[in-house]
Amino acid sequence: MSNAPLLITVAFFFGLLIGSFLNVVVLRLPNRLLWQARHESRELLELPEVYEPAPPDIVVKGSHCPHCQHPLSAFENIPLISYLLLRGRCRHCKVGISWQYPAVEFLTGVLFALCIWKFGATWEGLAALGFTASLVALSGIDIRTQYLPDDITLPLLWLGLLFSLVPLFQDPWHALLGAIIGYLSLWSVYKLFKLVTGKEGMGYGDFKLLAALGAWCGPESILTIVLLSSFIGAVIGSIYLAIKGRDNSTPIPFGPYLAAAGWVQFIFGINLLQTYTNWAMPG
């Protein structure tokens, strides 16, 4: 493909823009969902109404500094570039800007570029961008809140099943089987762990996320995703606990590791399987 470098470059800069939006989703969606849940609970229990202004909307409300509430101008809202030009500080109050903003933007740009490198400017490539954006948003939310919202995991699952009707990545049977195996595998571990220890080792959001990954990647990918995510989680989790000086009882979100392993499997799955086969059975 002669124009591949141009497409990959465009995908990277498009990813920076989407990454900027994903930062808004990560910061605002949990608060919106919590506010909505409290509001609906009061209605269901027929409790008196309590005035509680709705948190900022994800799309309509413009970006602003979380410290001084200064509305960001176009110059201050350029993905990645504004952070560098402002040297990581708000131009109005001079308070430091979280590293999350440029990190999510840059990560999304790189992942988008890799998606187009893999699939090109095709329907598969477009679907892969949506898949990637969903995983980045879920990872960011889980890191901040230890919560994987159904508003993202379930549409991701249904899209995987819907695309199998084309089929885009999996045929319907493999997509459905992947979703079922993905959900039940972690659900079984959860139930067994709770039976033995009396504690909850993970949340239901992890089951739904692995079900979605199974729908996109197929049933044969589940074992690889679980093993790879467990390995990444063990390494990074151990380093985190050591740095923070905390014990093993400290809860650590598992969603980002599932998302990372699922994305790697989605993009490089065949190569990973071939590498493992060659290593395990040389000659």
Side-chain angles (χ1 to χ4, degrees):
M1 190 186 304
S2 58
N3 60 346
L6 176 60
L7 290 174
I8 293 173
T9 302
V10 170
F12 172 75
F13 285 103
F14 179 62
L16 293 182
L17 293 173
I18 297 300
S20 180
F21 172 71
L22 294 180
N23 271 316
V24 176
V25 173
V26 169
L27 292 171
R28 297 185 184 180
L29 180 60
N31 291 332
R32 293 285 300 186
L33 294 176
L34 182 60
W35 174 84
Q36 182 179 352
R38 286 198 297 262
H39 182 73
E40 293 175 351
S41 297
R42 283 194 293 265
E43 287 186 349
L44 181 63
L45 297 174
E46 299 182 350
L47 296 176
E49 283 292 331
V50 177
Y51 176 70
E52 183 183 10
D57 186 82
I58 294 176
V59 177
V60 177
K61 177 70 174 180
S63 298
H64 58 274
C65 173
H67 300 283
C68 67
Q69 306 302 312
H70 167 67
L72 301 185
S73 64
F75 166 75
E76 298 169 293
N77 214 20
I78 304 172
L80 194 59
I81 296 176
S82 292
Y83 184 87
L84 298 176
L85 292 177
L86 295 172
R87 298 182 180 181
R89 295 187 176 277
C90 172
R91 188 170 63 165
H92 186 73
C93 67
K94 306 304 179 183
V95 173
I97 302 172
S98 172
W99 60 267
Q100 172 194 315
Y101 296 98
V104 170
E105 291 164 357
F106 181 74
L107 175 64
T108 307
V110 171
L111 297 183
F112 271 33
L114 288 171
C115 286
I116 297 304
W117 164 79
K118 173 69 175 183
F119 297 106
T122 62
W123 289 112
E124 288 87 350
L126 182 61
L129 297 185
F131 176 76
T132 300
S134 299
L135 294 183
V136 172
L138 285 169
S139 298
I141 292 173
D142 201 21
I143 289 173
R144 290 179 60 88
T145 66
Q146 296 187 15
Y147 171 62
L148 293 170
D150 288 349
D151 295 60
I152 301 178
T153 54
L154 294 185
L156 188 64
L157 169 60
W158 286 112
L159 280 176
L161 295 174
L162 181 63
F163 288 152
S164 72
L165 300 178
V166 177
L168 213 56
F169 301 105
Q170 305 293 325
D171 61 66
W173 169 246
H174 283 87
L176 181 60
L177 192 60
I180 294 173
I181 294 176
Y183 187 91
L184 290 180
S185 58
L186 286 188
W187 178 86
S188 301
V189 173
Y190 165 85
K191 287 296 184 181
L192 180 61
F193 183 82
K194 188 174 182 179
L195 181 64
V196 173
T197 66
K199 301 177 181 179
E200 296 184 353
M202 62 183 67
Y204 278 71
D206 297 317
F207 315 159
K208 299 169 188 175
L209 175 55
L210 188 55
L213 295 175
W216 284 77
C217 303
E220 68 281 353
S221 69
I222 298 300
L223 180 60
T224 302
I225 293 174
V226 171
L227 292 177
L228 184 58
S229 61
S230 299
F231 174 75
I232 297 174
V235 173
I236 297 180
S238 299
I239 295 174
Y240 170 80
L241 293 177
I243 292 176
K244 295 294 184 178
R246 300 178 181 178
D247 57 39
N248 294 331
S249 63
T250 302
I252 297 176
F254 190 50
Y257 308 126
L258 277 176
W263 189 89
V264 170
Q265 173 67 26
F266 180 71
I267 299 294
F268 305 106
I270 296 178
N271 294 331
L272 280 177
L273 181 60
Q274 290 176 344
T275 300
Y276 174 78
T277 303
N278 294 334
W279 173 80
M281 296 179 290

